[in-house]
Amino acid sequence: MEAFVLGSTQPSPNSAFSANSHNMALLNIYTTLTSFLSPTATLWLTVSLTVLGSYLLYQWLLPKPLPGIPFNTEATKSLFGDAPAMSREISVTGEFSMWLAHQVERMGEPICQVFIRPFSKPWILVGDFHEAQDILMRRTEFEKPQFLIDGLLALGDWNARYKTNDPTFRARRHLKQDLMAPNFLNSFMGPFLHSEGLKLVKLFEAKMKLADGRPFSVRSDYYHAALDTMVHYAFGGNIPDSATDPQLETISNMRSSQIPPASKDEPVVFPETPISPFLAAVHHAPDVLEKTTIAWAPKLSFWWWSQQPWFRKIFSQKEQVVPKQLDVAIRNFEAGEVKTALEHHLMREKIAAEKQGREPLLNSHIMVDEIFADMIAGHHTTGGSMGWVTKYLTGYPEAQAKLRDALYSALPEAVAEKRFPTFEELRRARIPYLEAVIEETLRLTPFSMTREATEDTEILGYKIPKGCQVFMVNAGPGYLSPSLPVNENARSPTSKAAKRRPHWDESKDLKLFEPERWLVTKEDGSVEFDAGAGPQLGFGMGIRQCWGRKLAHLEIRTIMALVVWNFELLEIPEALGGYAGFDGISRQPQKVYVRLRKVNSW
């Protein structure tokens, strides 16, 4: 999502004036000379001056590096800079964050610059965790870039489309104040997540029996579970739609004779039952955001797409369904019932209105836009994360076995009674290895954060002009490979003053999946999970970090615990494995295949 396209910057008025003055001077010289020359000589002079003028114009339009910051010299010889090389790599891999990391590694410096859009300022790539942390958390001169705000046009009046210093941003975030609190998460969301996890277990078991030892994809199953979760978050039981239930019904009614015979390594392709038009709209809306974000002209592209039938089909569902659900939520709220996220929004709006001495805006487009955008963001990102956890546990069977042992050890009553653990048991259980598995998965599936300089400033001692886009590159040095040396004296005052924790051992291969990195042994021999053991930007940092991270963590933790409790994720063919992803509004796995074996009879 920290995308491929930025707003261009025009040449300064002084530059334009200087160029015009040179042109007038050349024209005067040309007029004087041609008055003394023959037609043939005049033609040759005209051609020569045209060629010279074109060359000078071309040189003037070439990328202009910022002084001192490393860059690819070859990129400065073309109007398109680094863009062709970037496009070639991403067309093959789909991984924008990895391309950024490759540039930092190639330069061998913690800061470098690349040239992507002609006639624009270069992108600044920061490959140092401490400096990235400083920019995201403490440097107020860095803001959310306009191209990302424009990329979210389809989400309407959503809080994330406002600048950090805009009071509206904080006011909208205030509407969600209660939604990451223990009461909402553990009482309202937790039991539903547990029931959704059990549905997935049942669905996986049905597919496992039909597949008879063959692999099959579960990628869409995780997205469906995440979609159901966000529908419950927004509306609770006020809407009957489910994405998982239709799949479970279809697969449960299938017979093994309906599966075409093939080799043991040939994946079974199960039918996917259509979901309701509204759920389909929420599921496909991220595609619009990704298309808009990477467009050369986001606003113009969005306007054009908004005229197309496919776009209207998606967002007409929002206008048909969400306002009706808002009416239901208002009635519930006025009757004293506050359970769902939408009802909490209404409660917080009324409290804010009373404090400000105004009428509350309950039945407004703000409520519609906020809740619809939350659903899109929450289902897309978390569904992909559960797929990533599955892939890494499949690829690292030792870690998978350790996790299963940790679950069984932490929940001995459920093991003894040969049953699934309840949500309350899972919630209260202290399982450091489960937390470490989730954190290590986030580390290995990086997604670069972007900020825009709102004034002339410095990064690591280098001058950064206003308007530059700054990418916090978390897929290379300091994250997935050893840190690059930094001149500590060049750090910003806030970076120097910040308390730093020592990093883990970077001599180990940081590209390997090793949950133990996040575990520390105490003096009494107990093992604890340490979220600060190493560099991590999985949910962002600072005031703009992902507001729903606690819900996402609870969802991944609950559902993946139930999956590992019940199934062994067996080895799959190399062609179906790997860790390739693609970057859109988040980093998603390209494939999520499993070959399952039941590990108990519960």
Side-chain angles (χ1 to χ4, degrees):
M1 180 175 174
E2 314 290 350
F4 314 156
V5 181
L6 302 178
S8 64
T9 54
Q10 301 299 324
S12 69
N14 290 337
S15 298
F17 178 78
S18 176
N20 288 335
S21 299
H22 282 67
N23 290 339
M24 290 300 298
L26 288 173
L27 180 60
N28 290 335
I29 293 172
Y30 172 77
T31 302
T32 302
L33 288 175
T34 54
S35 65
F36 297 102
L37 299 177
S38 66
T40 301
T42 299
L43 176 61
W44 278 108
L45 178 61
T46 301
V47 172
S48 299
L49 288 177
T50 300
V51 172
L52 176 62
S54 299
Y55 174 77
L56 292 175
L57 177 61
Y58 180 80
Q59 292 296 315
W60 181 66
L61 293 174
L62 286 173
K64 299 298 184 293
L66 298 180
I69 302 177
F71 61 92
N72 172 20
T73 55
E74 288 301 311
T76 61
K77 300 176 183 179
S78 166
L79 291 179
F80 301 102
D82 294 285
M86 181 190 75
S87 297
R88 284 194 298 271
E89 182 170 329
I90 294 176
S91 66
V92 175
T93 67
E95 300 190 275
F96 175 61
S97 293
M98 293 301 179
W99 182 83
L100 294 177
H102 294 159
Q103 309 319 300
V104 175
E105 290 169 347
R106 179 181 180 182
M107 295 297 117
E109 296 288 341
I111 183 171
C112 65
Q113 56 186 318
V114 294
F115 312 95
I116 301 302
R117 187 165 184 176
F119 326 130
S120 297
K121 293 183 176 70
W123 290 359
I124 306 302
L125 311 186
V126 176
D128 177 77
F129 172 70
H130 294 300
E131 208 64 19
Q133 184 182 47
D134 187 51
I135 290 169
L136 293 171
M137 296 183 66
R138 309 179 195 98
R139 304 280 294 275
T140 57
E141 72 269 32
F142 292 100
E143 257 287 7
K144 181 162 188 168
Q146 188 61 45
F147 83 93
L148 283 183
I149 292 174
D150 294 341
L152 300 176
L153 275 167
L155 299 183
D157 202 7
W158 188 36
N159 70 85
R161 296 197 61 239
Y162 287 91
K163 298 284 188 179
T164 310
N165 59 6
D166 190 325
T168 306
F169 173 75
R170 293 177 183 270
R172 295 291 180 77
R173 282 289 182 98
H174 188 70
L175 293 176
K176 308 175 192 300
Q177 178 174 316
D178 308 295
L179 302 180
M180 296 301 117
N183 185 56
F184 182 81
L185 291 176
N186 297 331
S187 299
F188 184 70
M189 293 304 302
F192 180 84
L193 292 171
H194 187 266
S195 67
E196 193 69 18
L198 293 180
K199 284 182 186 178
L200 266 187
V201 168
K202 191 174 181 180
L203 176 61
F204 287 179
E205 184 169 1
K207 288 187 172 183
M208 176 193 71
K209 291 177 179 177
L210 291 168
D212 191 25
R214 290 167 58 189
F216 55 90
S217 175
V218 294
R219 186 169 179 268
S220 63
D221 297 328
Y222 285 128
Y223 285 123
H224 289 150
L227 187 52
D228 286 349
T229 296
M230 294 313 296
V231 170
H232 181 77
Y233 158 89
F235 311 128
N238 300 331
I239 186 170
D241 292 13
S242 171
T244 300
D245 287 349
Q247 318 309 321
L248 182 56
E249 182 179 359
T250 297
I251 300 302
S252 296
N253 290 325
M254 286 184 67
R255 299 183 302 276
S256 58
S257 59
Q258 295 176 263
I259 305 299
S263 69
K264 283 293 183 182
D265 284 343
E266 184 70 23
V268 176
V269 180
F270 287 104
E272 191 166 309
T273 306
I275 56 181
S276 75
F278 176 67
L279 294 187
V282 176
H283 182 64
H284 292 297
D287 298 338
V288 180
L289 307 183
E290 291 169 2
K291 284 167 64 73
T292 308
T293 302
I294 67 174
W296 286 98
K299 289 184 177 180
L300 179 61
S301 298
F302 174 77
W303 173 84
W304 173 249
W305 292 326
S306 67
Q307 312 303 310
Q308 308 307 312
W310 61 266
F311 182 99
R312 294 177 178 177
K313 182 179 179 181
I314 291 174
F315 289 95
S316 65
Q317 286 296 314
K318 169 188 172 183
E319 301 307 324
Q320 291 176 31
V321 175
V322 182
K324 292 179 181 178
Q325 288 300 314
L326 178 57
D327 290 339
V328 173
I330 291 174
R331 289 198 297 271
N332 291 344
F333 171 65
E334 291 176 342
E337 180 180 301
V338 179
K339 294 181 179 179
T340 68
L342 191 49
E343 289 157 6
H344 276 85
H345 279 55
L346 297 171
M347 178 185 72
R348 281 293 162 189
E349 167 58 18
K350 186 174 182 180
I351 292 173
E354 289 173 351
K355 288 182 178 179
Q356 297 166 17
R358 60 173 175 80
E359 287 295 314
L361 301 174
L362 301 183
N363 198 346
S364 72
H365 76 279
I366 293 173
M367 297 296 172
V368 172
D369 289 348
E370 284 288 342
I371 206 69
F372 187 70
D374 283 356
M375 295 174 69
I376 292 171
H379 113 270
H380 186 73
T381 53
T382 311
S385 295
M386 290 189 287
W388 282 119
V389 173
T390 300
K391 288 178 71 64
Y392 279 104
L393 291 178
T394 299
Y396 291 81
E398 300 87 357
Q400 181 192 152
K402 285 184 180 180
L403 176 57
R404 189 174 298 107
D405 289 344
L407 288 168
Y408 290 171
S409 297
L411 300 159
E413 288 187 10
V415 174
E417 296 171 9
K418 296 184 178 181
R419 59 171 174 81
F420 301 118
T422 66
F423 171 71
E424 278 301 307
E425 288 174 326
L426 278 172
R427 178 178 76 83
R428 295 178 184 278
R430 181 183 151 277
I431 315 174
Y433 200 79
L434 175 57
E435 312 300 340
V437 163
I438 296 172
E439 201 71 14
E440 182 71 347
T441 301
L442 290 174
R443 184 185 73 85
L444 289 171
T445 54
F447 188 72
S448 297
M449 306 290 150
T450 313
R451 292 294 181 264
E452 181 176 317
T454 60
E455 60 186 62
D456 292 347
T457 185
E458 290 187 8
I459 298 177
L460 293 177
Y462 296 105
K463 302 289 184 182
I464 306 298
K466 177 182 178 180
C468 267
Q469 312 295 318
V470 181
F471 290 75
M472 271 48 75
V473 182
N474 59 343
Y479 303 87
L480 303 186
S481 60
S483 301
L484 295 169
V486 174
N487 178 3
E488 295 298 325
N489 293 326
R491 292 192 185 277
S492 70
T494 50
S495 181
K496 291 176 183 177
K499 183 179 180 181
R500 293 190 213 164
R501 299 185 60 179
H503 278 189
W504 47 39
D505 183 4
E506 290 189 342
S507 65
K508 296 182 178 181
D509 190 342
L510 296 177
K511 290 184 171 65
L512 297 180
F513 181 74
E514 189 178 316
E516 288 79 6
R517 301 181 204 274
W518 302 95
L519 301 177
V520 293
T521 302
K522 300 293 185 180
E523 291 182 0
D524 62 0
S526 63
V527 176
E528 297 285 347
F529 167 69
D530 181 8
Q536 178 68 281
L537 292 180
F539 287 111
M541 283 185 168
I543 192 172
R544 298 204 74 104
Q545 67 180 312
C546 175
W547 70 269
R549 64 193 182 282
K550 290 183 180 178
L551 174 57
H553 182 272
L554 183 64
E555 182 176 353
I556 297 167
R557 185 182 192 275
T558 302
I559 291 178
M560 293 312 303
L562 291 171
V563 170
V564 175
W565 183 277
N566 286 277
F567 300 106
E568 184 179 355
L569 307 171
L570 302 175
E571 184 180 3
I572 57 174
E574 184 177 347
L576 302 180
Y579 303 100
F582 53 83
D583 292 335
I585 63 172
S586 64
R587 188 162 185 262
Q588 302 292 308
Q590 293 184 12
K591 296 175 288 189
V592 187
Y593 283 90
V594 296
R595 194 198 309 264
L596 299 180
R597 179 165 62 201
K598 201 84 161 62
V599 295
N600 53 58
S601 57
W602 308 330

